Amino acid sequence: MSNHIMKLAQHIKVRQRVVATAITYMRRVYTRKSMVEFEPRLVAIACLYLASKAEESIVQARNLVFYSKRLYPDEYKYELKDILGMEMRVLEALDYYLVVFHPYRSLSEFLQDAALNDVNMNQFTWGIVNDTYKMDLILVHPPYRIALACIYIASVQREKDITAWLQDLNDDMNLVKNIAMEILDFYENYRTITDEKVSSAFSKLALKP
């Protein structure tokens, strides 16, 4: 469903921060509600719509309906009223708490402080941070520590020695490395998640009473 939100966001042209907020809302919802009770495809769209408002990058709900049907003509059967109705249910599930702190600000500051803010490192590290939203890290770890883990991975991949800089931060590097391992494990396992498996999972949901 994170991929679903990302793909839709590309068509309606919203900022990455809106995408990240939408995915965080969706993950928060499913810590409290079941996928049987809250249909994932509809929740994903409603969260993107809500996030666009929260991040002051508003999109028209009718555009979400249009592109959803265009991208998934055989799967998406919802109309405007369905999105608006689910938006209210999502708000209630979130207890109307819409604040989200992301790793992006810390990431920019850390890269500059570590003298790693060249274009190549910026793009590579931001890409890793974006990928973390396909996991539940944002619900579990402080955003700044997620940023550090992504920088740690990028520095190893690009052979940049930042050992001294990391030590000067006086943060628990074991925790940072554990997050980095979670991210690397995700990359390894993500390859096994095929479209067929996703479709099968949705079919099972649809059969639930």
Side-chain angles (χ1 to χ4, degrees), residues 33-72:
K33 304 294 181 180
S34 75
M35 288 189 176
V36 176
E37 184 182 4
F38 279 56
E39 209 285 327
R41 283 166 288 205
L42 185 53
V43 169
I45 308 278
C47 286
L48 184 56
Y49 182 51
L50 185 58
S52 75
K53 295 180 181 179
E55 298 293 348
E56 299 181 351
S57 183
I58 300 174
V59 299
Q60 297 295 321
R62 65 175 64 91
N63 288 340
L64 291 173
V65 173
F66 172 79
Y67 283 111
S68 295
K69 289 183 176 180
R70 184 175 173 181
L71 289 168
Y72 306 99

Side-chain angles (χ1 to χ4, degrees), residues 31-176:
T31 63
R32 303 177 179 186
K33 304 294 181 180
S34 75
M35 288 189 176
V36 176
E37 184 182 4
F38 279 56
E39 209 285 327
R41 283 166 288 205
L42 185 53
V43 169
I45 308 278
C47 286
L48 184 56
Y49 182 51
L50 185 58
S52 75
K53 295 180 181 179
E55 298 293 348
E56 299 181 351
S57 183
I58 300 174
V59 299
Q60 297 295 321
R62 65 175 64 91
N63 288 340
L64 291 173
V65 173
F66 172 79
Y67 283 111
S68 295
K69 289 183 176 180
R70 184 175 173 181
L71 289 168
Y72 306 99
D74 297 326
E75 301 174 20
Y76 195 85
K77 308 297 182 185
Y78 300 105
E79 302 296 338
L80 180 61
K81 62 180 177 60
D82 299 311
I83 292 179
L84 299 180
M86 181 56 76
E87 180 192 16
M88 292 308 301
R89 295 181 69 194
V90 166
L91 274 168
E92 291 173 1
L94 296 173
D95 287 335
Y96 299 91
Y97 182 71
L98 302 180
V99 177
V100 180
F101 295 100
H102 295 291
Y104 298 113
R105 177 180 292 183
S106 297
L107 181 67
S108 297
E109 293 173 353
F110 285 148
L111 285 172
Q112 188 167 2
D113 188 54
L116 296 173
N117 56 335
D118 60 87
V119 174
N120 185 275
M121 277 295 290
N122 260 300
Q123 291 180 343
F124 186 48
T125 315
W126 275 71
I128 298 173
V129 171
N130 291 343
D131 285 342
T132 65
Y133 285 91
K134 297 174 184 177
M135 311 167 61
D136 61 1
L137 296 181
I138 196 65
L139 301 183
V140 181
H141 301 289
Y144 83 90
R145 200 167 274 155
I146 296 173
L148 283 176
C150 293
I151 291 172
Y152 177 72
I153 292 171
S155 69
V156 172
Q157 291 290 325
R158 293 292 187 260
E159 298 182 347
K160 304 276 189 180
D161 186 4
I162 60 170
T163 306
W165 177 78
L166 289 170
Q167 289 174 345
D168 288 342
L169 293 176
N170 291 321
D171 197 47
D172 190 331
M173 279 309 299
N174 286 327
L175 292 176
V176 172

